[in-house]
Amino acid sequence: MTDILLLGATGSIGTSAVRIVRQFPELFRIVGVSANKNVDALLAIVGEFSPQWVHVGDHDAASRAEGHLPSGCKLLKGRKGLEELASEAEYDILLNALVGEVGLRPTVASLKRNKRVALANKESLVIGGDYIRTILAQGNGELVPVDSEHSAILQCLTGENRQAIESIILTASGGPFRHTPLSDFGTITPQQALAHPTWAMGKKITIDSATLINKGFEVIEAHHLFKIPYDRLRVVIHPQSIVHSMVEFHDGAIIAQMGVTSMELPIQFALTFPERLVSSEKRLHLPDISTLSFEDPDYHKFPCLKLCIEAGSAGGTAPAALNAANEVAVGLFLENRIGFDKIAVIISNVLEHHAQSAAESVEAIEEVDVRTRREVRDQYAS
């Protein structure tokens, strides 16, 4: 029996993870769950799986949940409670499906306890990749990716000689605006940006996919996960979202992982790696695929992708500034306070004026995060 601590239990990744646990009750047990505000969904999970630990990020939501928890269930609140949960609960795997920089501390705390972290919280590696690599290099913990792209790469590399890697190729759907003229980007509405053509995701990550910054984040993640330099990491637009990523070897062979657009497989694989479980999930039916197309990304039209690669290459706290600026800008866009085209402008301005420093601790990273958010809000939210 594998005990799972599930952070972000009520989001899209968390909901998929719950379905997997439900499918394999003899293999997995949820011992702790975390959500931010969705108390009703969280209590439904608590009622079904009876975890010993519950965390609610929002204090008002925590107050509403408090009287509905079974006896013996420990309730934690707020950001400090999240780190406490990862540090004190008894579990085998931390499945981190949180959104945003709030996911960094529990990732670090879990790795330091020598746990497996099944990572869907991309910000952990985007802003804290340098620091997390020092923790892993000291023999602490294990990091297994949940993102479909990085899971695909891991599957392509299993059993292979990593010295033979020529390049890693991450695929991107291209989002909803692949054919939209750049001149129209200023009139794009949040409703249009939230209509992703192939994936069903939360609001923030859906906007990130529309700007392609999400794919830039994944480039930074791949750099840290697989220890591949940025000049050997490539992005291709693949609108069908059937090939989830590829690895090119120095003999010219390219190995790809294919599958339906569902997160069930990468989540399940992260929980059982390197083993595979029989699954009843929908299969890819090859005769139904009429076309697999690939094209280079338009960096002029989607500058966020290039900004990510530049920040990742700079290292230090530049990715933390990048991420903070993006999170605030996306929030402002969803509130109709800035145009879609201004997201990249804000991020570019932040990086241009960023005072670079080493990302040598969680505190150093968070200091840059807090300062950057404040500066962006002061300049653009008034």
Side-chain angles (χ1 to χ4, degrees), residues 69-99:
L69 297 176
S71 61
C73 182
K74 185 172 182 179
L75 176 64
L76 300 170
K77 309 173 185 179
R79 292 177 65 99
K80 289 185 178 180
L82 194 57
E83 185 177 14
E84 183 182 349
L85 178 63
S87 300
E88 296 186 9
E90 291 301 324
Y91 57 92
D92 300 307
I93 298 178
L94 172 75
L95 176 48
N96 189 344
L98 297 168
V99 176

Side-chain angles (χ1 to χ4, degrees), residues 141-320:
E142 178 188 19
L143 206 57
V144 182
V146 169
D147 273 350
S148 62
E149 293 81 2
H150 303 100
S151 177
I153 295 164
L154 179 61
Q155 293 177 64
C156 291
L157 288 177
T158 299
E160 297 287 349
N161 177 8
R162 298 200 178 192
Q163 301 302 314
I165 299 173
E166 181 82 12
S167 64
I168 284 177
I169 306 166
L170 294 119
T171 57
S173 70
F177 307 124
R178 189 164 56 95
H179 296 301
T180 302
L182 179 59
S183 58
D184 291 345
F185 272 32
T187 62
I188 290 171
T189 66
Q191 184 178 12
Q192 291 172 318
L194 289 170
H196 196 277
T198 54
W199 290 94
M201 304 172 290
K203 286 185 177 182
K204 193 266 182 183
I205 193 172
T206 303
I207 302 301
D208 285 349
S209 294
T211 65
L212 289 195
I213 198 169
N214 190 57
K215 199 56 51 180
F217 288 159
E218 290 172 6
V219 171
I220 297 175
E221 285 184 274
H223 167 74
H224 292 300
L225 283 167
F226 305 108
K227 302 180 180 64
I228 300 296
Y230 283 98
D231 61 0
R232 290 163 57 194
L233 293 168
R234 296 162 49 199
V235 173
V236 298
I237 304 300
H238 171 53
Q240 296 81 20
S241 297
I242 297 296
V243 175
H244 296 303
S245 277
M246 297 170 273
V247 177
E248 179 183 20
F249 294 92
H250 59 202
D251 63 354
I254 295 179
I255 295 179
Q257 189 267 330
M258 303 167 65
V260 296
T261 52
S262 168
M263 288 303 299
E264 312 288 356
L265 171 60
I267 295 169
Q268 183 174 301
F269 190 67
L271 295 177
T272 63
F273 175 79
E275 304 298 328
R276 291 183 183 271
L277 296 178
V278 176
S279 174
S280 60
E281 292 299 316
K282 181 181 177 182
R283 298 295 200 268
L284 183 66
H285 187 56
L286 292 174
D288 290 341
I289 303 172
S290 58
T291 301
L292 294 177
S293 61
F294 304 91
E295 60 192 64
D296 289 326
D298 186 337
Y299 290 96
H300 178 65
K301 192 172 175 181
F302 298 100
C304 287
L305 178 55
K306 185 177 181 181
L307 291 170
C308 273
I309 296 171
E310 291 174 352
S313 299
T317 54

Side-chain angles (χ1 to χ4, degrees), residues 8-55:
T10 61
S12 59
I13 299 293
T15 302
S16 295
V18 167
R19 286 199 295 269
I20 291 170
V21 173
R22 192 179 290 129
Q23 185 179 352
F24 299 101
E26 74 284 1
L27 298 179
F28 304 120
R29 176 170 53 202
I30 296 176
V31 298
V33 290
S34 172
N36 187 34
K37 292 183 178 181
N38 195 341
V39 173
D40 291 339
L42 183 67
L43 290 175
I45 296 171
V46 172
E48 180 177 359
F49 296 99
S50 302
Q52 294 100 343
W53 300 75
V54 172
H55 170 269

